[in-house]
Amino acid sequence: MHKDIDPDNPPPTRVGCQSLVRNDRGEILVVRPTYGDRLYQLPGGHRHRGERRTAAASRELVEETGLTPPRGRLLVVDEIDERPGVHTAGLTFVYDYGTVPASTAIRLPAPPGTGEPSELDAYLWLSTDALDEHCADYMAKRIRMSERARTEETVFDLLRGDLIEPEGQH
């Protein structure tokens, strides 16, 4: 038993699930939240209690974009350190949702005029060259590493978007 962890009140860990969707021009779908830094990010959100990560990724993609492409494999696991007063530590799992036609309609949740608060207010299809202009640094890195994992048919372990080198390979 770990003496530094109370088994009745373990430290919380957020589990996030995001989706990498590309169009047939090679651009990546990103969405802009109406909260926080309001920078673009991959579609996704938090896993609900008892929900599988894969189910959470698919649910969030449908909720945020209306898209229902088949889910592919895991691309990256990105660890985010705790920021006291801001958020708990977290793990984000990014899954490959393949390629859709560039003409595919995207439906953001709660469109203006519905009386419901909107979680997202915009989306873009971005080339990897445009990520730094529209995304937080860690998110741009996460997206690039997800693309690399897709291309190299591997899974990457990240810490705030940066590759974690395996033990003994420094």
Side-chain angles (χ1 to χ4, degrees):
M1 178 58 79
H2 298 281
K3 294 184 186 337
D4 61 331
I5 296 177
D6 177 358
D8 296 324
N9 190 23
T13 300
R14 293 176 303 116
V15 175
C17 302
Q18 293 184 316
S19 304
L20 182 74
V21 179
R22 303 174 83 235
N23 66 24
D24 52 16
R25 294 189 305 237
E27 298 164 319
I28 299 162
L29 178 63
V30 292
V31 294
R32 186 175 67 191
T34 57
Y35 54 86
D37 59 18
R38 294 190 36 83
L39 294 172
Y40 286 85
Q41 59 190 18
L42 292 172
H46 294 114
R47 179 184 74 170
H48 294 167
R49 182 178 298 251
E51 186 177 34
R52 305 289 304 176
R53 295 186 321 257
T54 52
S58 294
R59 175 185 51 76
E60 286 286 347
L61 183 60
V62 170
E63 287 177 3
E64 294 190 351
T65 68
L67 297 177
T68 59
R71 179 188 44 78
R73 63 182 188 75
L74 177 65
L75 298 171
V76 303
V77 178
D78 195 359
E79 182 177 352
I80 302 295
D81 291 331
E82 177 181 11
R83 290 178 54 201
V86 179
H87 61 72
T88 61
L91 295 171
T92 299
F93 299 83
V94 179
Y95 292 92
D96 183 7
Y97 278 82
T99 302
V100 299
S103 61
T104 300
I106 303 299
R107 178 192 46 79
L108 296 176
T114 64
E116 295 181 38
S118 181
E119 180 182 352
L120 305 171
D121 65 1
Y123 73 90
L124 293 171
W125 291 99
L126 295 177
S127 69
T128 54
D129 293 340
L131 293 173
D132 293 327
E133 180 182 344
H134 298 282
C135 303
D137 179 60
Y138 78 92
M139 182 60 62
K141 291 177 185 178
R142 179 185 294 166
I143 295 170
R144 284 189 184 97
M145 291 305 294
S146 296
E147 268 291 281
R148 183 175 159 198
R150 185 188 64 77
T151 302
E152 296 180 15
E153 298 183 358
T154 191
V155 176
F156 287 119
D157 190 11
L158 308 177
L159 177 60
R160 200 159 174 77
D162 290 318
L163 183 63
I164 297 174
E165 294 294 333
E167 293 294 321
Q169 298 203 1
H170 302 282

